[in-house]
Amino acid sequence: MNTSRSIIIDTDPGQDDAVAIFLALASDELQVLGITVVAGNVPLELTARNARIVCDLGGRPDIPILAGCDRPLLRPLVTAEDVHGNTGLDGVEIYDPDIQLRDQHAVDFIIETLRSQPSESVTLCPLGPLTNIAVAFKLAPDICARVAEIVLMGGAYFAVGNVTPAAEFNIYVDPEAADIVFRSGVPLTVLPLDATHHVLSNKPRLDALRAIGNRTGQAIADLTSFYERFDRRKYGSEGAPLHDPCVIAYLLKPEIFESRFVNVEIETSSELTRGMTVADWWGVTDRQPNATFAGGADADVFFELLTCKIANLP
Ligand code: BDR
Ligand code: CA
């Protein structure tokens, strides 16, 4: 009997997205039905190419990769080359792999997959702006009831923001899309900066990944070493937060994270606080809880899991 959980990874790679994809590909517990790509860290053309490189390095040419929306619902695209480099995947060699994109729009793939797979069997794992997911929900509202759950990286409450003083990047880039997803009624788990800022790289952790002796362990160390520079400069921290891999780690070992089931709403109208995730952590309103919102993480257990799983890849 196949007991693995079926997932679709919606992503804008990104070094930390790449690590998340590797972790998913390395885990028998997860069956990756497809990787849907969105514009975010860098424009869509680059995030799509980066997803192809990641699957090539991971030795998985069989995974469908589909390009989706090239801009947010209502706003111009904001990118993050300052964090991820001009390629979005600085730190490893950039090349044009043999793996090609599937000839289907990511949104159509999401809709078709949710309609064709058994109801409540597919988990969506968004690692970037929520544009593809929101468009799918708007075009095909029937699929909302068929989603098992959404486990996403985005937002912040105590950590407030990383791209503005009030907002985290993924939510800030497309707040209207986030608002649609957070109001969708689909069971939602959120890995915000409050959790991901605990999951920091450091030298022993990267050395352990290199010591596996495979190309993906080496690639994760190289990608993270590039990406660390930004956080070291900005926060004075020892390393970089591995934001997006927290989503996959949550699927594998939810006990790594502490969380609360609370109401989370998205600020869409204020320019000052655009994309803020207003989480009722203390239960001071009568707004209905709609999300399991993580507030902390055990980094040692996370890195043990990552290192152990990556040994399964080429
Ligand atoms: C999120 O923004 C992106 O830069 C990362 O890939 C991650 O998904 C962190 O705020
Ligand atoms: Ca991302």
Side-chain angles (χ1 to χ4, degrees):
M1 195 178 85
N2 178 7
T3 53
S4 68
R5 182 183 333 200
S6 298
I7 65 172
I8 295 174
I9 301 177
D10 188 72
T11 175
D12 62 337
Q15 289 86 356
D16 61 324
D17 301 72
V19 180
I21 295 168
F22 286 142
L23 180 56
L25 297 181
S27 301
D28 286 344
E29 300 91 325
L30 302 175
Q31 191 194 354
V32 182
L33 300 179
I35 296 181
T36 54
V37 183
V38 69
N41 287 324
V42 285
L44 182 67
E45 205 185 317
L46 300 185
T47 55
R49 184 217 38 213
N50 294 349
R52 291 165 51 226
I53 293 175
V54 173
C55 286
D56 193 46
L57 288 173
R60 292 299 300 274
D62 55 303
I63 306 280
I65 306 173
L66 304 101
C69 300
D70 65 0
R71 58 180 179 275
L73 296 183
L74 300 181
R75 305 180 189 246
L77 178 64
V78 175
T79 52
E81 286 85 358
D82 53 334
V83 183
H84 300 275
N86 285 335
T87 68
L89 210 55
D90 279 26
V92 292
E93 186 200 338
I94 299 299
Y95 59 101
D96 187 24
D98 289 339
I99 302 175
Q100 295 303 314
L101 296 175
R102 294 284 167 105
D103 192 16
Q104 186 182 25
H105 195 282
V107 169
D108 294 328
F109 175 84
I110 292 168
I111 295 172
E112 215 176 273
T113 306
L114 284 163
R115 283 182 178 158
S116 61
Q117 295 289 318
S119 190
E120 297 178 53
S121 70
V122 178
T123 295
L124 300 178
C125 301
L127 311 178
L130 288 159
T131 321
N132 285 341
I133 310 295
V135 173
F137 285 1
K138 278 289 165 198
L139 285 177
D142 58 288
I143 63 172
C144 292
R146 302 185 65 84
V147 179
E149 59 177 318
I150 297 175
V151 181
L152 67 84
M153 192 280 135
Y157 179 59
F158 294 99
V160 203
N162 59 359
V163 63
T164 73
E168 180 281 327
F169 180 80
N170 290 340
I171 308 297
Y172 175 81
V173 172
D174 198 345
E176 285 75 20
D179 188 46
I180 289 169
V181 170
F182 278 70
R183 289 178 191 279
S184 66
V186 175
L188 191 59
T189 295
V190 180
L191 283 304
L193 299 180
D194 308 296
T196 68
H197 276 177
H198 290 278
V199 180
L200 293 177
S201 60
N202 61 25
K203 187 165 183 313
R205 288 169 178 164
L206 296 188
D207 285 348
L209 284 154
R210 276 198 194 94
I212 299 169
N214 61 0
R215 70 175 182 232
T216 45
Q218 184 65 46
I220 293 176
D222 292 346
L223 288 165
T224 308
S225 300
F226 173 84
Y227 172 70
E228 277 179 349
R229 294 178 215 173
F230 177 82
D231 286 87
R232 283 220 192 106
R233 239 186 355 251
K234 182 173 171 193
Y235 297 108
S237 54
E238 199 183 352
L242 289 187
H243 304 286
D244 294 337
C246 289
V247 165
I248 308 300
Y250 181 87
L251 299 180
L252 298 170
K253 247 187 187 220
E255 61 274 22
I256 291 177
F257 302 93
E258 288 157 28
S259 47
R260 286 189 188 182
F261 186 50
V262 297
N263 176 271
V264 183
E265 302 208 357
I266 311 294
E267 175 59 61
T268 55
S269 54
S270 155
E271 265 318 297
L272 186 64
T273 57
R274 155 185 172 181
M276 188 172 194
T277 43
V278 181
D280 189 6
W281 186 261
W282 302 112
V284 292
T285 74
D286 56 8
R287 298 197 284 260
Q288 281 303 304
N290 59 343
T292 300
F293 195 85
D298 185 330
D300 287 332
V301 180
F302 170 92
F303 278 95
E304 271 161 34
L305 175 72
L306 180 67
T307 309
C308 162
K309 289 292 188 189
I310 295 303
N312 298 330
L313 289 181

